[in-house]
Every structure is written in C-alpha cells, then in structure tokens.
Amino acid sequence: MAQAASKIIKTEIYDEGIEKGIERLTQQRIDQVINHVLKNEVGARLKTYVDTCVHCGLCSEACHFYLSYDNDPAFSPAGKVKQTIWEILKRKGNVDAEFIKRARLIASTECNLCRRCAMYCPFGIDVAYLMSIVRRICHLLGVTPKYQQDTVHSHAATLNQMWVKEDEYIDSLMWQEEEAQDEIPNLRIPLEKEGAEIFYSVIAPEPKFRAQLIYQTAVLMNVAGVDWTMPATPGWDNSDMCMFSGDIEMMGRLKKAHFETAMRLKVKRIVMGECGHAFRSVYDVGNRWLLWKWPPIPVTHAVEFYYELFNEGKVSVAQKYDKTVTFQDPCNISRGRGLHEMGRYLARTLCTEFIEMHPNREHNLCCCAGGGVINCGPPFKMKRILGNRAKAEQLFAVKARGAETIIAPCHNCHGGLDDIVHHYGLGMEIKFLGDIIYDCIEKPV
Amino acid sequence: MFNKILFATTASPTCDNAAKVAFDLEMKWDARLYVFHVFGLTGYGYSPFVTDSRTGEDVREGEDYRAWVIEEMKNTYAKQLEGSENIVLEATVGLPHTEILRKARQDKVDLIIMGAHTREEDIGATRFRSVVGSTMQKVAQAARCPVVIISRPCTTCWRLFSNIVFGTDFSKAANSAFLFAFKLAKEVGAKLYLFHAIDIHFGDTGQTQRQEVIEKKVEEARERIEKRYVSQMDGFDNYEIEIWEGVPYVEILKFAREKDGDLIVLAHHTKEIDPEKALLGSTVEQVVLRATQPVASVNRPDRVAEW
C-alpha cells in the first residue's frame, strides 16, 4: 500500500479544466483575484483561524487521506492549509500558476470538507472553511476540474444538477405516480399544491436516474397521510455543486430559487431527500450567503422527517429488515446537524440487528465522495478510492462483526462507499433508509 | 396488433436470439421497432461519468459517446438493418430497468422484447449483472405492455406460430396474460392451450396430498378455466384445457415441450409484489431460464385491451 500511495502522489493526474485554466493565468490576474478575496470576501473568521492555529498537528489523524496515505504529512489538514492559504497569505498573493494548480488539487481532490478535523482541533478550527476559500480563489481564477465545472454549468443553465428538462422532471413524477397507483390506487404525487404542509425537494439524480426513490417517498407520504407537494417549476432541485466549486454567486441563485419556490407554494416547511451536501447548502452555507442565519423556511432532512413519522406513530413497521445493519453517518447531517441518534433510532426500529462501526456518530470517517470530490470525475477516481483505505478498514472491521448492510442516508456516501466496497472487495450491500422503510412499513392492502 | 415494439438490448451476442425475433416482428407486422440500449450504469450522487456495460470502463457520457454507441449498434445489427426503414436506434444511460420502463411509457409501446441474461464473457458484466439479472424481472413486473423474453433461438416466425401455451394461476394479472394469448392465437390462427398446474410441492416438510384431494382440485381448476377464460372466447374453438399437478414451472415446461409450444404466456409472479423477494420463487424466472421457446409475461390490461 505504501507504494501505491506514493505512486499516486507522484503521478500527474491530467484534468483539462485545471490545465487549461492555468494556461490562461497571468501574474497580474492572480494577484488581483487573491487580493480581492482577501480584502472583500473574508474577514475575522479567516484571521482568527489563521492566527489561532499553533501547528500542533493534532488534526492529522482525523483525516482519512492522511490515514490512508500512510500518515503522509502532506495530507494532514494542517499540511494542506500550510501548502495553500498560509502560503498565499505569507506571500500576499504573490504565487504562480503552478501553485494555483496544486492548491486546486489539494482543496478539491484531497479534502472532502467533511470537517472531521475540526472535531480534533483543540481550538475547533474549521479547516473546511479554509479549503473553501482556496476553492473560491481558484474558481475566480477559472481553475476548476472539468467534470465539476460541467455540473456547475448545468446548475447555471437549468437550476438543476443534471440538465434535467422541466417536462422531463414533471413527467418522471407523473410516471412514478402511475407506477405507485398499482400499489395504492388513490396515491398522488401532488404537484404545485399551494398551501401544503410540506414541499418535498430532491436532488436531480432522483428524477433522472433513480426514480424508484421518488416512488418510495410517494408511498411513504401517502401511507403516513402527509399533506405534501412537489413544485412543477425549476427550484425543485436542492443540490448544489456550485458551493463546492467556489461559484458562490451561483450557489446563492440556486438557494434563492429553492426558497422562493417554497414561498410561492406557501408551504410550512421544506423536507429534503436523503442527501447530505444539499442539506449543508440549504441549511448552513447557501442560506447564510443569502444573509439568512437560519433558512427562511424551516428545513427538515429526511432522517429527521422519518424519525418524526415513526416517533409519532404515523407509520408502523410490519416486518423488520432481517439482515445485520450498520450505520454510515454522513458528515453533513451528523457533524453538521447532529442527526446521528435519530438515524440510530430508525435503524433499530426498522432492523432486527444493528451494530456500530467505529468510529461513529460525529467522529465517523468520511466516505471520500462528498465535498464535490466525486464530482471531479474519472481522473480522480483512484486517488479518491485509495485515499480512503481507512474507510475500507473501518467497514471490514464491522463486517467481521457480522454487518451485511450499510445504511447510508446520503447520495454521496452511496457513491463513495459503493466504490470502496467494490475496490476492496468488501461485498456489503448499501441502502438508503428510504429503501428499508419502503420494504418494512405497514401498507394498506 | 403491434404498432410499436421496443427491443431492449445489451447490444451484445447475449441478445442475438431476441434480436432475431424483434427484427422479424418489425418486418412481418410492419411495426416501428425501437432498438434500445442502456449502455451505462450511473453511480450514486451525481457523477458525469458512467460505467460502460460492454467495456467496463468509466466513460464520459455525452452526445459524442452516445453517437459512438449508436454507431456500434449499427455495426452489430448491420445485417438486420438492411432494407428496413422503420427502425430507430437509441442509446442512453441509467439503471436499465428504469430506463426501459421510462421509454416504454413515453412511446406507448405495444410490446417489449428482451433477452434474459448477460453472459460471463461480457467484459464489465460482473458489476452490471447484479442489475441486469433482475432487469428482466423488474421490467416484466412493472411494464404496462406484454414483455417477451427470449433466451434461446426461436426458429419459428411469429406469424407461423401454431401452439400457444397460456399458464394461469388465476390471479388478476393472469387475465391480461390470457387476453394477450387469446388475441394472438386468434390473429395468427394458432391453437391455444389453457394450462394450470396444481402446486403440490410443500417444501421439505414431507407432507403429501391425498390423490382424491388433488383430483378434486384438478376438477375445480378446469371449471374455473371454463368460467373465467373460455366464456370470453366468443366462439373461438381452437383450444384445449389441461390441468397437471406438480411443481408449476416444471409442469408448464414439460407441457410446452409435449405440445410443441411456440410461445409460453404467463403473468409475472403475481402473488409477490416485490420482485426481489420473489427472486427464486418466481415461476416466470424459472420458466425463462429453461424454456426453449419465447416466454411472454403480461401483467396489465393497459395495452392488450386496446387491440
């Protein structure tokens, strides 16, 4: 493994977006952009973090990249900061194009913004924030991995992540409604229902490729008798790759469209599907960029919503899922929102046997797909998989204790774990809570 | 009867037997044939790249790649495409069963034709298999139109079918299967066999049934067939009723072989809602695996009722 790791670091990964981006750079442009960001976009937060850090390195072992690449200090959170933002500050922005390239690679493909390191820093320094600033600078310099930039283009053009056309989206909902009516004849997926209790929002891959997830939600909503709706206009997608590429103006536009859609429909709250990064964007980052300390309309993540339904007895379990499960805590809803106990409540309610992986809850290791890393595409796939050997070891340990299925209430976790399970030959099944809920709940006959 | 036919293919030799039937139908029935290939499996989250089902490589999905895949399909089916005008080649990415069902719904197709399984030799199939194996199941279960599954060479042309075997479990879905079998038999002038197998398999509990109980059940089944199906046939008399006892999928295969059946028509494991759960218990699955003739699975009246 030691060899594989060092090989990866030394091998140049070619990414057209980054390479073409740095070709266009001039020293003047770099100076200008960096000084603009440092002067106008950051303030006390950056200064506090930078001035407080004592370079102790306690954050190192928090990072899955560091652990997986044989404790190479270049991969420790402090190491990444040292190679990027500190250097930028030290040199007052006087860095060259090669430096920008390296900075982009570090911030976007060697850090998932999972914030595990913040748990281990004696001062609670949020390294993810520092990496976001680096990403922001690179975005303004036009140095972004090609695949990620493509997703951002889709957001800009369609307000969703996957170039889903408006009629295509609506048709997918109608289709799933028809399918589900086979099971529950009077089932509806209410479109544009003004004044509904809940606006259910999804990420674009659901209507595009995983329509089954919408089907399952429709069944759950109908069984639980929830007053809900989905919009028929752009603004239905809650995902946000712009937040991760550094295109925060676009992030703001997306979140604005999302909130305004909810307001137009006069709903009481937004319930989101099982996605982590979208939650971070709607509940934490995007809303704050729009100057809302808290979202203007209450936002509930699927895990919390399911918890309510079971806890209030709106749905009940007919038959428990009979394989031994373990729970993958997605960073954005566990560390970000503290939903880990609710997730466990659901796992225990729905499954006969639940065992913990270690570490867990807010200390869980990242899947290595989040933070926009999986969206950097094929060039970086192996770097990402090898960069999470630690996760494979963690999963192997829980598998050795009997776990067969991993519950992962996040799309990115699914993607990341799927690759890890295949690459390391773990042979475990990965499921959404929604999959298990659909299988296990009492449905009208 | 068939205006639009959807041939869902892996564009590999696995589907050659199915291809033969599909292109044949297009010609004989003067139908529009969609040759539809879901060539890549997407990851979770948003990934702009997909795993190509044939090469096993991660590729960038986009117009260019799609055009290239279609070009490849043209080569694969070059011979069949000669001289036919009413064929549309399409390629897309996604979960195969989802995309096939989406396409079938969008274009309101009358019939879906597909092969049964991906073969070992296909590169990249290992990862694809977990879904491809069940693609047939999921499509057959949810499709609104008949689904014909072909895993072995079908030597008889549809127009010349002379024996159609309809197997029933008396479920609601089986009514639609009957309609399809009956209408097809009438159209092509084939003999229709109305078949039911009494399930006397009780697992490994060692229980047995008394002969008179079985015989009584046989009698009851015959009456049900008369009442439920024959009454709908409106004077059509080229039919025969048969009730056998045993393990249903074995019996129907034996029966089809004895009668030189050209096509077996069934409803897809209607007793189970979730195809995953019925994976091995499914009669259709077992029949498809072993049958030498095409198997049609019909679950819903939507399309068949219109003919």
Side-chain angles (χ1 to χ4, degrees):
Chain A
M1 277 321 254
Q3 270 181 340
S6 52
K7 200 172 140 206
I8 274 288
I9 299 164
K10 282 174 191 154
T11 316
E12 276 287 300
I13 295 174
Y14 181 81
D15 182 284
E16 214 183 328
I18 294 179
E19 299 297 334
K20 291 269 160 65
I22 60 164
E23 272 174 30
R24 285 191 295 261
L25 291 180
T26 60
Q27 198 56 48
Q28 192 197 0
R29 177 93 186 117
I30 296 174
D31 283 347
Q32 190 193 356
V33 164
I34 290 179
N35 286 311
H36 159 77
V37 171
L38 295 182
K39 205 171 139 200
N40 303 318
E41 294 192 9
V42 295
R45 193 174 177 193
L46 174 69
K47 191 162 166 48
T48 311
Y49 287 159
V50 171
D51 290 350
T52 314
C53 178
V54 294
H55 308 204
C56 67
L58 281 173
C59 53
S60 301
E61 301 212 353
C63 183
H64 48 281
F65 275 105
Y66 174 83
L67 296 173
S68 304
Y69 284 129
D70 302 312
N71 298 2
D72 184 334
F75 287 101
S76 77
K80 292 175 209 172
V81 176
K82 186 169 158 48
Q83 293 170 80
T84 56
I85 191 78
W86 275 344
E87 201 61 23
I88 291 173
L89 287 169
K90 211 166 92 187
R91 297 202 220 158
K92 297 199 171 58
N94 187 19
V95 293
D96 60 12
E98 268 311 301
F99 180 94
I100 293 296
K101 175 181 164 183
R102 183 72 198 123
R104 181 50 125 172
L105 288 173
I106 291 170
S108 289
T109 72
E110 294 168 15
C111 172
N112 294 89
L113 310 187
C114 78
R115 295 200 272 219
R116 187 166 189 256
C117 45
M119 308 287 303
Y120 292 85
C121 172
F123 307 106
I125 293 172
D126 185 358
V127 175
Y129 171 71
L130 301 176
M131 287 298 120
S132 309
I133 294 170
V134 179
R135 290 181 180 196
R136 172 67 178 159
I137 291 170
C138 295
H139 161 74
L140 290 175
L141 288 169
V143 180
T144 303
K146 184 184 158 197
Y147 289 85
Q148 192 172 50
Q149 188 59 43
D150 180 74
T151 318
V152 173
H153 288 329
S154 170
H155 275 307
T158 65
L159 291 180
N160 73 65
Q161 196 189 9
M162 298 195 77
W163 304 100
V164 180
K165 289 179 224 126
E166 202 170 320
D167 57 341
E168 199 184 329
Y169 159 74
I170 294 170
D171 192 58
S172 296
L173 299 186
M174 287 166 69
W175 170 37
Q176 289 313 305
E177 180 179 83
E178 282 167 30
E179 296 273 301
Q181 279 170 352
D182 261 0
E183 215 176 318
I184 302 175
N186 58 358
L187 176 142
R188 295 302 311 271
I189 297 181
L191 276 181
E192 288 290 310
K193 183 178 167 190
E194 212 178 273
E197 199 79 21
I198 283 167
F199 156 26
Y200 183 68
S201 69
V202 294
I203 62 171
E206 298 199 21
K208 184 84 181 170
F209 292 126
R210 308 214 176 245
Q212 174 70 9
L213 294 173
I214 294 173
Y215 176 109
Q216 290 172 353
T217 301
V219 169
L220 177 67
M221 293 291 196
N222 279 267
V223 168
V226 175
D227 178 18
W228 67 303
T229 186
M230 288 177 86
T233 57
W236 53 266
D237 180 9
N238 53 30
S239 69
D240 193 344
M241 273 308 129
C242 307
M243 167 174 72
F244 288 145
S245 79
D247 190 351
I248 53 179
E249 289 84 3
M250 195 54 225
M251 168 184 79
R253 221 186 115 206
L254 289 174
K255 290 314 110 177
K256 197 155 172 264
H258 193 58
F259 290 135
E260 282 179 354
T261 304
M263 288 171 181
R264 178 174 61 73
L265 291 170
K266 301 187 173 63
V267 295
K268 299 219 168 56
R269 61 170 164 160
I270 298 170
V271 170
M272 313 176 55
E274 292 179 57
C275 181
H277 92 273
F279 187 70
R280 182 190 196 131
S281 166
V282 180
Y283 168 82
D284 175 8
V285 184
N287 54 310
R288 289 184 178 144
W289 197 81
L290 290 171
L291 301 178
W292 293 96
K293 185 176 179 188
W294 299 109
I297 285 181
V299 173
T300 311
H301 187 268
V303 169
E304 191 175 352
F305 180 65
Y306 299 153
Y307 171 82
E308 281 173 26
L309 294 182
F310 280 94
N311 202 27
E312 291 166 12
K314 288 191 177 149
V315 278
S316 56
V317 179
Q319 195 185 6
K320 284 193 172 192
Y321 181 74
D322 61 0
K323 285 186 187 157
T324 304
V325 301
T326 185
F327 194 83
Q328 155 77 4
D329 289 288
C331 52
N332 288 318
I333 66 165
S334 287
R335 270 190 288 281
R337 168 70 168 154
L339 299 184
H340 38 262
E341 293 307 336
M342 290 183 191
R344 276 161 185 74
Y345 169 90
L346 289 163
R348 292 202 176 93
T349 307
L350 289 158
C351 310
T352 43
E353 183 82 30
F354 162 71
I355 50 178
E356 292 282 6
M357 58 173 87
H358 294 281
N360 55 48
R361 297 182 168 85
E362 71 272 32
H363 296 286
N364 186 31
L365 287 167
C366 172
C367 64
C368 207
V373 174
I374 197 171
N375 304 76
C376 295
F380 301 99
K381 186 177 174 187
M382 281 322 288
K383 186 181 190 180
R384 166 167 65 83
I385 294 172
L386 296 176
N388 212 358
R389 193 182 67 202
K391 184 93 229 170
E393 284 160 5
Q394 182 196 20
L395 291 177
F396 186 76
V398 72
K399 188 190 171 178
R401 287 165 51 230
E404 298 160 274
T405 302
I406 309 162
I407 299 178
C410 167
H411 282 265
N412 273 332
C413 286
H414 265 253
L417 295 183
D418 198 39
D419 286 333
I420 287 165
V421 163
H422 276 93
H423 179 80
Y424 295 96
L426 291 169
M428 297 170 89
E429 212 180 340
I430 309 161
K431 281 186 178 281
F432 286 105
L433 273 169
D435 294 332
I436 296 179
I437 290 174
Y438 171 75
D439 279 347
C440 297
I441 52 169
E442 198 93 48
K443 290 175 212 144
V445 184
Chain B
M1 218 168 156
F2 310 125
N3 294 322
K4 288 180 183 171
I5 298 169
L6 177 65
F7 169 40
T9 174
T10 55
S12 66
T14 326
C15 289
D16 278 358
N17 297 325
K20 195 175 166 297
V21 175
F23 287 101
D24 189 53
L25 271 178
E26 180 265 333
M27 242 155 55
K28 303 280 162 50
W29 242 282
D30 210 11
R32 159 163 290 210
L33 178 69
Y34 297 97
V35 179
F36 188 69
H37 175 35
V38 184
F39 64 88
L41 190 59
T42 49
Y44 281 91
Y46 172 51
S47 39
F49 57 100
V50 296
T51 312
D52 186 299
S53 61
R54 288 204 292 181
T55 60
E57 280 167 14
D58 284 337
V59 297
R60 175 82 169 90
E61 196 271 318
E63 286 306 313
D64 291 351
Y65 197 80
R66 213 174 278 225
W68 179 78
V69 170
I70 290 177
E71 206 48 48
E72 286 286 291
M73 287 166 71
K74 274 187 191 152
N75 293 336
T76 309
Y77 296 121
K79 223 173 144 190
Q80 289 94 326
L81 288 168
E82 262 173 43
S84 14
E85 287 163 4
N86 221 352
I87 295 177
V88 186
L89 298 179
E90 280 180 33
T92 191
V93 293
L95 294 176
H97 67 92
T98 307
E99 297 313 313
I100 293 167
L101 290 169
R102 196 197 298 264
K103 172 79 188 159
R105 175 180 177 275
Q106 237 164 34
D107 288 304
K108 292 201 173 61
V109 304
D110 300 304
L111 186 72
I112 299 175
I113 295 180
M114 53 199 302
H117 290 267
T118 319
R119 295 192 307 193
E120 300 278 345
E121 308 93 86
D122 289 346
I123 319 164
T126 27
R127 194 160 169 201
F128 217 51
R129 184 183 314 282
S130 57
V131 283
V132 168
S134 57
T135 298
M136 181 277 281
Q137 290 229 338
K138 285 179 174 153
V139 170
Q141 210 257 334
R144 306 262 151 182
C145 63
V147 179
V148 175
I149 305 131
I150 296 149
S151 49
R152 297 211 167 71
C154 168
T155 44
T156 323
C157 150
W158 275 60
R159 281 280 187 207
L160 302 174
F161 276 177
S162 41
N163 300 300
I164 292 172
V165 176
F166 160 62
T168 178
D169 60 354
F170 299 113
S171 59
K172 195 177 151 206
N175 290 345
S176 306
F178 163 74
L179 267 184
F180 174 71
F182 168 61
K183 287 184 175 179
L184 185 67
K186 214 162 108 178
E187 168 112 5
V188 302
K191 178 160 189 173
L192 179 63
Y193 291 93
L194 304 162
F195 180 81
H196 176 73
I198 310 271
D199 192 353
I200 57 164
H201 180 68
F202 282 88
D204 302 318
T205 54
Q207 276 180 303
T208 50
Q209 286 187 7
R210 296 205 326 274
Q211 187 57 28
E212 53 266 40
V213 176
I214 295 174
E215 276 169 23
K216 191 158 170 282
K217 281 188 180 165
V218 169
E219 210 35 60
E220 280 169 7
R222 183 174 291 276
E223 277 168 32
R224 285 177 85 178
I225 288 183
E226 291 274 359
K227 211 170 123 192
R228 195 178 286 211
Y229 305 123
V230 176
S231 62
Q232 289 185 53
M233 296 203 306
D234 204 20
F236 179 83
D237 59 357
N238 192 11
Y239 72 92
E240 200 177 306
I241 301 173
E242 277 276 348
I243 319 290
W244 288 12
E245 67 277 2
V247 180
Y249 75 83
V250 178
E251 295 309 312
I252 192 156
L253 284 163
K254 278 163 42 186
F255 179 74
R257 201 171 72 170
E258 190 185 295
K259 299 293 178 193
D260 287 327
D262 296 305
L263 177 74
I264 300 176
V265 182
L266 300 167
H268 192 50
H269 54 69
T270 48
K271 288 183 179 159
E272 267 291 350
I273 287 173
D274 185 353
E276 296 289 336
K277 285 186 198 147
L279 207 61
L280 290 171
S282 152
T283 301
V284 170
E285 171 84 342
Q286 297 300 328
V287 170
V288 164
L289 278 172
R290 296 166 174 80
T292 48
Q293 52 280 89
V295 179
S297 155
V298 193
N299 275 359
R300 290 184 178 73
D302 303 40
R303 308 297 308 153
V304 278
E306 287 172 20
W307 292 338

